[in-house]
Amino acid sequence: MILQEALKGMKIKNWEMRIDDKGRKVVYVRFTEKEPVMSVDVKEG
């Protein structure tokens, strides 16, 4: 599975950037499932 497939249907919950022991920036991202979009078909009679 590739990352793009794994993240399908997910959204970013939050993220943070930290600096590791070697002085490099590391970004941590937390994901959550997207809520389903409600749709309604309206027909006028």
Side-chain angles (χ1 to χ4, degrees), residues 5-16:
E5 291 174 3
L7 296 178
K8 191 178 282 188
M10 304 292 279
K11 66 177 182 177
I12 294 176
K13 181 177 181 180
N14 58 27
W15 64 275
E16 65 179 286

Side-chain angles (χ1 to χ4, degrees), residues 9-27:
M10 304 292 279
K11 66 177 182 177
I12 294 176
K13 181 177 181 180
N14 58 27
W15 64 275
E16 65 179 286
M17 184 177 62
R18 298 181 188 170
I19 298 177
D20 69 5
D21 297 339
K22 297 180 181 178
R24 297 178 296 189
K25 293 179 182 177
V26 181
V27 177

